[in-house]
Amino acid sequence: HDKDVGQQFAAVQLAVRLAAPHQLQPKPDNDDALAFGKVFTDHMLKIYYHRSLGGWQRPEITPLENLVMHPAAKVLHYAVELFEGMKAYRGVDGKIRIFRPNMNMNRMNLAAKRSGLPTFEGEEYIKCLSRLISIDSEWVPHSEAASLYIRPTLIGIDPTLGVASSDSALLYTILSPVGSYFKADNDGAVSLLADPQYTRAWPGGVGNRKMGSNYAPTINVQKEAAQKGLQQVLWLYGEDHQLTEVGTMNIFMFYAQENGDKVLVTPPLNGLILPGITRDSILALTKQWGKFEVREEVITMPQVSQLLNEGRLLELFGTGTACVVSPINRINYMGTNLYIPTMEQEKPIHETIRETLTGIQYGKIEHPWAVTI
Ligand code: PMP
């Protein structure tokens, strides 16, 4: 941590103010059909930071309520904001688990540092979060097609207009029961718009940090994709049209090399790509399986076209917390449709990967990545 952050918060100080019975929200009847992020649980976690008061303040759980801030708050002007996306899963044994939460905490602290916001002790935060989830535990869906999405958020709330680091901040967390993230085509795969005139991230930028400012400029491009009947944006970078990410997912390609050996590749963490926790987990699992080669290397559109022409491209899929694995069946690239045979494989690896990861998350496979709250 930065020494000048001052005092840290501790979970033992957590104060809890429960919602009154009349404040409790009705729970959804059908968790599997829930749209993403539209329904929220009864409580939230708040931790304020005030430099003038020595640093991080006492964590508190309160009923879900509106935030009040000064209209000059830095978050509202310079997007001094960053967030995380995690999930709590109700296991087949009834226990509630979260997945590799320390990875989210590390990523969040890196984004805080880059935003001039105070860093914090991830372990203490996870203890507070676990308490919040226990209090709202009935909101964790009783279904393997659904889970409780967790949105930790850190904002700069200093009521001053200077473009400078914020002396006050709020780390808050809201929870939302969610079903599956995408409305996929009938076969469960998604189609993509790949338009090289748009760029999501660039060298020296913050494409590798989960900051709100990365997402606003993607919305209109996503809308353009939807107008063309395509479900997601494939973000390209550079003269050679490198594939970087799909919507809010990392990308993986499985193909046969010239000698017939199969290889799984994903772009390297070169600053243009969010270091996805699903990505990291898939790399670790598939390397451990040892059934095919696994590499981090740049993928370009000309390479995709060539592999398709030679019949060597097997699978293309996005990966992320929201969807786990999202197979891709078509890319609209410079006016032509490239049909990807992801769904035509006999024993696709994206299916095995999904089964393994969800098996760990829902407690069917014992694994240290799954942390019981
Ligand atoms: N890329 C972007 C741009 C994202 O927003 C996300 C979601 N956090 C991911 C990739 C996937 O990351 P993770 O596997 O940690 O959810």
Side-chain angles (χ1 to χ4, degrees):
H1 295 289
D2 273 350
K3 288 223 174 52
D4 63 60
V5 165
Q7 80 205 3
Q8 288 291 329
F9 61 81
V12 291
Q13 311 165 316
L14 181 64
V16 178
R17 175 161 56 88
L18 293 178
H22 73 271
Q23 291 176 308
L24 299 177
Q25 296 298 309
K27 295 187 182 66
D29 321 323
N30 182 1
D31 288 322
D32 300 350
L34 278 173
F36 180 77
K38 292 200 173 169
V39 174
F40 296 93
T41 70
D42 294 316
H43 296 89
M44 67 191 293
L45 170 66
K46 295 191 197 103
I47 313 169
Y48 281 93
Y49 176 89
H50 294 297
R51 186 178 300 279
S52 61
L53 298 176
W56 285 105
Q57 305 297 299
R58 175 183 190 176
E60 48 179 346
I61 287 171
T62 70
L64 182 81
E65 58 197 13
N66 291 343
L67 300 176
V68 175
M69 67 185 91
H70 193 280
K74 289 195 197 296
V75 59
L76 302 176
H77 299 269
Y78 310 122
V80 184
E81 191 265 4
L82 56 103
F83 63 100
E84 268 304 326
M86 316 165 64
K87 278 179 169 179
Y89 309 87
R90 187 180 299 278
V92 285
D93 53 1
K95 289 184 188 156
I96 297 172
R97 292 176 177 80
I98 51 180
F99 187 73
R100 307 187 75 185
N102 55 323
M103 299 272 293
N104 296 90
M105 293 300 101
N106 293 342
R107 191 165 71 183
M108 200 169 184
N109 271 310
L110 288 170
K113 207 158 184 12
R114 180 69 199 255
S115 307
L117 286 169
T119 55
F120 60 92
E121 303 272 5
E123 268 178 43
E124 293 303 310
Y125 171 85
I126 293 300
K127 287 183 204 159
C128 298
L129 172 66
S130 298
R131 184 77 184 284
L132 176 67
I133 297 168
S134 320
I135 289 172
D136 279 344
S137 63
E138 262 320 295
W139 288 87
V140 182
H142 292 256
S143 155
E144 260 184 69
S147 54
L148 186 68
Y149 186 78
I150 304 165
R151 173 51 64 85
T153 312
L154 178 56
I155 58 177
I157 56 172
D158 229 29
T160 55
L161 291 179
V163 181
S165 74
S166 192
D167 286 336
S168 300
L170 172 61
L171 171 57
Y172 70 91
T173 308
I174 50 179
L175 308 174
S176 170
V178 292
S180 54
Y181 191 68
F182 295 110
K183 285 194 202 75
D185 277 347
N186 294 337
D187 66 354
V190 295
S191 53
L192 311 179
L193 171 66
D195 186 339
Q197 74 171 307
Y198 299 116
T199 303
R200 192 195 82 95
W202 43 88
V206 291
N208 57 353
R209 301 286 176 254
K210 216 162 157 58
M211 297 179 181
S213 56
N214 282 336
Y215 295 80
T218 68
I219 293 169
N220 206 45
V221 187
Q222 169 64 33
K223 207 164 119 189
E224 195 179 315
Q227 279 160 356
K228 294 186 163 141
L230 302 156
Q231 285 147 327
Q232 290 288 316
V233 177
L234 174 56
W235 296 101
L236 302 180
Y237 174 78
E239 302 278 298
D240 53 350
H241 299 173
Q242 297 171 26
L243 288 73
T244 61
E245 304 202 73
V246 190
T248 60
M249 294 183 282
N250 293 116
I251 191 164
F252 279 81
M253 180 167 77
F254 190 53
Y255 70 95
Q257 300 176 88
E258 265 162 18
N259 65 5
D261 289 354
K262 291 170 184 169
V263 57
L264 179 67
V265 293
T266 192
L269 299 180
N270 54 8
L272 303 178
I273 286 161
L274 196 83
I277 292 153
T278 319
R279 175 191 179 279
D280 185 85
S281 306
I282 293 171
L283 286 174
L285 282 175
T286 53
K287 280 179 191 169
Q288 201 184 14
W289 293 346
K291 292 201 175 132
F292 41 79
E293 221 185 300
V294 180
R295 294 203 297 252
E296 291 173 71
E297 72 188 20
V298 168
I299 308 169
T300 65
M301 283 309 298
Q303 183 194 8
V304 168
S305 299
Q306 188 187 342
L307 288 172
L308 270 181
N309 287 340
E310 295 174 4
R312 295 198 280 126
L313 206 170
L314 303 171
E315 298 175 46
L316 205 57
F317 51 94
T319 71
T321 298
C323 64
V324 188
V325 166
S326 181
I328 296 159
N329 60 9
R330 175 163 63 105
I331 304 175
N332 186 283
Y333 173 58
M334 317 238 285
T336 38
N337 276 316
L338 305 178
Y339 291 93
I340 316 291
T342 311
M343 303 306 279
E344 290 153 32
Q345 307 306 319
E346 213 164 290
K347 252 201 132 282
I349 63 151
H350 72 267
E351 270 302 325
T352 315
I353 290 169
R354 186 209 304 278
E355 277 161 26
T356 310
L357 283 175
T358 55
I360 294 170
Q361 290 160 342
Y362 288 89
K364 287 185 272 188
I365 302 170
E366 272 291 324
H367 200 287
W369 285 344
V371 179
T372 308
I373 65 147

